[in-house]
Amino acid sequence: MAISCNKQEFLLRPVFHARESTTAFLPPLRRVVKMSATEVTSSRISYESFAIKPPEHPTYDLKGIIKLALEEDAGDRGDVTCLATIPFDMEVEAYFLAKEDGIIAGIALAEMIFHEVDPSLKVEWSKNDGDFVHKGLQFGRVHGRAHNIVVAERVVLNFMQRMSGTATLTKAMANAAYPAYMLETRKTAPGLRLVDKWAVLIGGGRNHRMGLFDMVMIKDNHISAAGGVADALKAVDLYLEQNNLQMEVEVETRTLEEVEEVLHYSSQTKTSLTRIMLDNMVVPLPNGDVDISMLKEAVQLINGRYETEASSNVTLDTVHKIGQSGVTYISSGSLTHSVKALDISLKIDTELALKVGRRTGRA
């Protein structure tokens, strides 16, 4: 596999020069990962050594996603620039550099990518997934054939930067939302559902349903098609009973009247309902604040009989106030659909990279 290598972005030096110029900058490394070819090529991936394990999915092929990312970069020729400029047997060390403050995520996935490209690469980290990194920190290194490190570089960084951006925002929102728990939604990048949701876990959030299969979630279109919120709940209860299924059930409500209708139905009938979504009950105000009086009234009506979830108009500025309403969960699609990537680089000549970074304010 190969990825494109731009010589202006990536200055190569033999390994003994890289050591001389970078050792003084690197913090003590405490974890070394070296996987055998057998472990990497196995169709089953063991997550036991991961600091934070990815969420479960019955059909998701994480290794297949890695291969696809490498293959789309390699095309049908491989990395022609590296083939032309880098001796195949040259060995170097490359160093991970944080260019801004944030929560690092994707370390475990980066290891998988490096070892998919070359199982002999040796990867070391001074940080774990979920740890804070500050601008200018060197937090990891990879040693081995220069060609293969550069082959893996962009794919590793694409995943790590996206995951770290999600984890950083999740950490900020989860802290502000307390005592409510922070959830993402299904508004993830196509094909990256598990990766995006893994980043939320790394950032201290919790996962909403993985997909359409693991939780019943009755939303507005289901309610309209079924003829009303009570009819939709009744249909779900019947379906689960007939198919001998047990799973969580959430229903969306948009008005206090719908909340009361749900509560009336559940008081008269045995139901599988576990959570009530309170959608658009956070009302934005012209001054940028939000009115949560309707949300609080709904929470009081439910009175702990079911979990509650606030949805819509959730931002970093509003989430603290929403979290004080008494809701169990707060969900926000922005955690994954509006990701601002955390700036991270992988450099062999870190002395020059730090010099350039300081000149541009990115290190």
Side-chain angles (χ1 to χ4, degrees):
M1 304 297 176
I3 71 168
S4 178
C5 166
N6 187 317
K7 197 172 181 181
Q8 292 178 335
E9 296 175 353
F10 213 102
L11 180 62
L12 294 172
R13 289 186 178 182
V15 65
F16 53 85
H17 288 160
R19 283 175 177 157
E20 289 171 0
S21 64
T22 59
T23 301
F25 295 99
L26 191 68
L29 294 164
R30 62 173 181 265
R31 188 160 65 93
V32 180
V33 179
K34 195 164 190 281
M35 299 171 66
S36 71
T38 302
E39 290 171 325
V40 176
T41 56
S42 170
S43 60
R44 297 179 64 85
I45 299 171
S46 173
Y47 301 130
E48 292 307 311
S49 64
F50 293 179
I52 300 174
K53 297 176 178 60
E56 294 183 0
H57 191 292
T59 62
Y60 195 91
D61 182 5
L62 184 55
K63 187 176 176 183
I65 293 297
I66 291 170
K67 287 184 174 181
L68 180 63
L70 291 165
E71 287 168 1
E72 72 178 355
D73 234 356
D76 59 353
R77 282 197 175 91
D79 188 339
V80 293
T81 311
C82 288
L83 289 170
T85 61
I86 304 175
F88 187 72
D89 58 352
M90 174 186 281
E91 290 196 353
V92 297
E93 286 180 347
Y95 294 78
F96 284 94
L97 178 67
K99 293 187 174 180
E100 58 183 320
D101 296 349
I103 303 299
I104 198 67
I107 282 175
L109 186 57
E111 293 169 3
M112 294 170 63
I113 296 167
F114 279 125
H115 293 99
E116 182 65 35
V117 172
D118 180 356
S120 71
L121 294 176
K122 185 177 180 182
V123 190
E124 304 176 47
W125 308 96
S126 63
K127 295 291 183 179
N128 289 316
D129 278 325
D131 287 347
F132 176 79
V133 294
H134 61 78
K135 183 169 73 171
L137 177 70
Q138 291 181 18
F139 60 91
R141 67 186 172 200
V142 55
H143 170 85
R145 289 180 176 173
H147 182 278
N148 292 336
I149 291 173
V150 179
V151 157
E153 175 226 359
R154 177 43 52 195
V155 173
V156 166
L157 290 177
N158 283 349
F159 278 114
M160 288 189 73
Q161 288 178 315
R162 178 180 175 86
M163 291 181 71
S164 297
T166 292
T168 299
L169 179 57
T170 300
K171 176 65 76 175
M173 294 189 78
N175 287 346
Y178 184 83
Y181 298 109
M182 202 70 213
L183 304 172
E184 86 296 79
T185 68
R186 284 168 50 241
K187 296 175 183 176
T188 55
L192 296 182
R193 174 70 53 81
L194 185 141
V195 173
D196 281 353
K197 285 179 173 281
W198 190 4
V200 169
L201 291 180
I202 291 170
R206 295 197 178 187
N207 287 151
H208 212 310
R209 61 175 177 162
M210 178 60 68
L212 301 174
F213 58 90
D214 58 332
M215 179 184 190
V216 175
M217 190 165 178
I218 309 168
K219 294 180 67 68
D220 51 358
N221 285 334
H222 305 111
I223 292 168
S224 297
V229 66
D231 289 333
L233 267 171
K234 183 178 180 180
V236 165
D237 285 331
L238 181 62
Y239 174 84
L240 294 178
E241 182 180 2
Q242 289 177 340
N243 290 276
N244 196 28
L245 292 174
Q246 290 185 340
M247 61 177 59
E248 292 184 331
V249 175
E250 180 171 11
V251 63
E252 178 184 298
T253 60
R254 297 156 289 180
T255 65
L256 295 177
E257 290 74 22
E258 284 189 330
V259 173
E260 290 173 339
E261 187 177 351
V262 168
L263 294 175
H264 176 74
Y265 170 82
S266 65
S267 69
Q268 302 295 314
T269 309
K270 182 181 178 181
T271 179
S272 296
L273 180 66
T274 55
R275 187 185 307 173
I276 300 176
M277 178 186 286
L278 308 171
D279 191 44
N280 280 301
M281 296 189 189
V282 176
V283 181
L285 299 174
N287 64 358
D289 198 1
V290 287
D291 179 359
I292 63 168
S293 57
M294 183 180 179
L295 179 66
K296 291 175 71 174
E297 188 174 349
V299 170
Q300 290 167 0
L301 280 172
I302 296 165
N303 194 29
R305 282 173 280 186
Y306 300 100
E307 295 176 342
T308 52
E309 177 186 333
S311 177
S312 299
N313 298 311
V314 178
T315 68
L316 191 52
D317 293 326
T318 65
V319 70
H320 176 71
K321 189 171 185 178
I322 298 169
Q324 305 308 301
S325 67
V327 292
T328 317
Y329 300 103
I330 303 171
S331 59
S332 174
S334 66
L335 295 179
T336 54
H337 72 53
S338 302
V339 182
K340 179 186 177 296
L342 192 73
D343 198 357
I344 302 166
S345 65
L346 179 64
K347 297 295 182 184
I348 292 171
D349 189 345
T350 52
E351 187 174 6
L352 177 60
L354 284 167
K355 182 178 179 181
V356 173
R358 292 187 186 109
R359 187 178 72 219
T360 58
R362 296 173 66 205

